[in-house]
Amino acid sequence: MIFRQLFEPLSSTYTYLLGDEDTGEALLIDPVIASMDRDLAEVHRLGLKLAYTLETHIHADHITAALEMKRTVGSRIAAPAYDRLSCTDIGIEEGKPFQVGGISLEPIHTPGHTDGHFAYLFCDRVFTGDALLIEGCGRTDFQNGDADALYRSVREKLFALPDETLVYPAHDYQQRFVSSIVQEKKRNPRLGGDRTLEEFRQIMANLNLPYPMFIDYAETGNRQCGVCPPDVPANLASYCRQTSESPQG
Ligand SMILES: [Fe+2]
């Protein structure tokens, strides 16, 4: 199995490349339109063919590359069925493994950051999207976010995975790359240790985060599997442009 963690610096997003050496098929989890050229070049450099793109949720901070990759290389679009996007080829559901070549992912419905959010378990690792970040979690104040639901998703579903399971989040803002379930159980200041639901509610209600600056464009664009809306203002135009510098994480 081929694995790469790719970083998109504008939105600090991690995109994950999984490749099956036997069939030559690859998938990209949460690809970003601004890093599309870099990501496709990496897939091809590894001698792979992009079979699928796969979303953890409808993103509010970047535009997915799913649709443009489908147009460019013929990949198919997989996303949570819960969101009922008409542009998806495969609707992901809990309990139904998602298979690409010899790679089998186990979808885990993890609502709370968004109601349709999914994490994906693959062998010794779990791709946690924005449900569980390294010593953090995604916000719960937009997109049908729900702190109670997120608390249950993380504590009852993700923390129920084996302790040594590696945690690969959709973002990190401090150049950290990977965590583990046991580390988050012990160290996550919002959800770890003996944090109660009431404490978590208070933490999430008092984050005082600014209005997400790209959400109105990203949600619209991502409900179409990755269309850059024509009215994106000049100060946000870089979100729809290919980034020149985009280091690999
Ligand atoms: Fe998100």
Side-chain angles (χ1 to χ4, degrees):
M1 197 267 300
I2 294 169
F3 175 70
R4 292 286 187 280
Q5 183 179 37
L6 303 155
F7 185 65
E8 194 288 307
L10 259 178
S11 57
S12 296
T13 298
Y14 284 128
T15 295
Y16 297 98
L17 189 169
L18 301 178
D20 176 19
E21 287 145 310
D22 295 332
T23 63
E25 289 182 295
L27 77 147
L28 285 168
I29 300 175
D30 289 339
V32 181
I33 203 162
S35 289
M36 174 174 143
D37 290 352
R38 186 272 316 261
D39 293 355
L40 287 179
E42 184 67 2
V43 170
H44 297 147
R45 191 184 70 77
L46 293 163
L48 299 166
K49 180 184 183 312
L50 186 67
Y52 277 97
T53 57
L54 172 65
E55 305 295 326
T56 54
H57 65 294
I58 296 174
H59 305 279
D61 61 345
H62 67 263
I63 302 233
T64 171
L67 189 61
E68 285 303 317
M69 286 179 163
K70 178 176 182 165
R71 286 181 178 150
T72 308
V73 297
S75 48
R76 302 183 80 203
I77 298 173
Y82 185 98
D83 290 321
R84 298 171 173 274
L85 303 182
S86 57
C87 51
T88 57
D89 296 303
I90 297 266
I92 297 293
E93 294 174 68
E94 191 170 73
K96 289 190 184 166
F98 176 61
Q99 195 95 24
V100 177
I103 297 165
S104 183
L105 302 178
E106 189 184 315
I108 308 170
H109 188 206
T110 42
H113 170 63
T114 72
D115 50 355
H117 188 286
F118 271 73
Y120 300 106
L121 179 65
F122 172 65
C123 300
D124 63 345
R125 59 200 66 190
V126 60
F127 303 99
T128 54
D130 288 6
L132 178 62
L133 304 178
I134 299 172
E135 296 184 13
C137 65
R139 62 196 296 172
T140 54
D141 49 349
F142 288 97
Q143 301 180 282
N144 296 322
D146 178 340
D148 287 31
L150 186 58
Y151 184 87
R152 285 193 298 272
S153 291
V154 172
R155 303 258 316 189
E156 294 173 15
K157 288 188 165 178
L158 298 179
F159 284 0
L161 298 172
D163 275 355
E164 62 276 17
T165 308
L166 297 171
V167 169
Y168 283 101
H171 300 284
D172 193 80
Y173 305 94
Q174 296 174 56
Q175 297 170 317
R176 295 166 298 189
F177 302 105
V178 62
S179 182
S180 68
I181 291 296
V182 69
Q183 184 161 301
E184 293 310 312
K185 275 183 179 172
K186 286 188 174 159
R187 292 174 54 103
N188 193 297
R190 297 182 185 175
L191 289 149
D194 52 9
R195 278 273 179 243
T196 64
L197 173 59
E198 186 50 42
E199 287 172 328
F200 183 63
R201 280 181 190 146
Q202 291 300 323
I203 290 168
M204 298 311 284
N206 292 301
L207 290 177
N208 295 316
L209 295 169
Y211 185 80
M213 61 176 175
F214 198 48
I215 189 171
D216 297 323
Y217 306 100
E219 260 221 87
T220 306
N222 288 332
R223 286 196 172 275
Q224 302 166 74
C225 292
V227 173
C228 271
D231 57 341
V232 172
N235 65 320
L236 297 174
S238 51
Y239 283 82
C240 288
R241 227 179 268 139
Q242 290 298 299
T243 45
S244 50
E245 200 179 309
S246 191
Q248 245 181 263

